[in-house]
Amino acid sequence: GTSGIGAETTRVLAKRGVRVVMAVRDMKKAEILKERIVRESPEADIVLLEIDLSSLSSVARFCSQNNAGIFSPNLEFSEEKIELTFATNFLGSFLESLDI
């Protein structure tokens, strides 16, 4: 998200008042981008979280600090009729690679 379409998406969403959470590999580049966006849109709410997807220890650290997973003791389903815990904790990670 620190260059190209990711940076532009962050800029436009922040300008429109959306809180943007960026998971980034290079915090220095992310800070520079955030500063540039905040100068343009002082009300921008951008949160930077560090993660290097090529490093399993980085991914594990990120997940332990920013766990967005769920567990439901009840049998529940997503709107696509997939078991909710599986859909959230596993399939959600692969959404970008799916041809939907």
Side-chain angles (χ1 to χ4, degrees), residues 44-91:
D45 184 8
I46 301 171
V47 177
L48 305 176
L49 302 174
E50 186 174 21
I51 184 171
D52 180 351
L53 294 174
S54 70
S55 165
L56 296 181
S57 62
S58 176
V59 172
R61 186 172 42 256
F62 181 89
C63 291
S64 71
Q65 296 169 351
N66 305 289
N67 187 357
I70 65 162
F71 171 74
S72 176
N74 304 315
L75 183 59
E76 298 179 77
F77 296 91
S78 69
E79 64 182 72
E80 292 84 10
K81 309 295 186 239
I82 301 170
E83 192 276 325
L84 191 60
T85 301
F86 179 69
T88 303
N89 298 342
F90 183 75
L91 295 180

Side-chain angles (χ1 to χ4, degrees), residues 7-20 34 36-46:
E8 182 63 9
T9 300
T10 299
R11 186 187 72 78
V12 171
L13 289 174
K15 186 175 185 174
R16 293 183 179 177
V18 175
R19 181 176 198 231
V20 180
K34 179 179 177 178
R36 191 174 73 222
I37 292 171
V38 169
R39 276 195 306 270
E40 180 182 328
S41 303
E43 301 297 317
D45 184 8
I46 301 171

Side-chain angles (χ1 to χ4, degrees), residues 2 26-36 48:
T2 56
D26 188 330
M27 287 296 283
K28 185 175 181 177
K29 285 174 66 176
E31 287 287 349
I32 292 168
L33 174 65
K34 179 179 177 178
E35 289 172 13
R36 191 174 73 222
L48 305 176

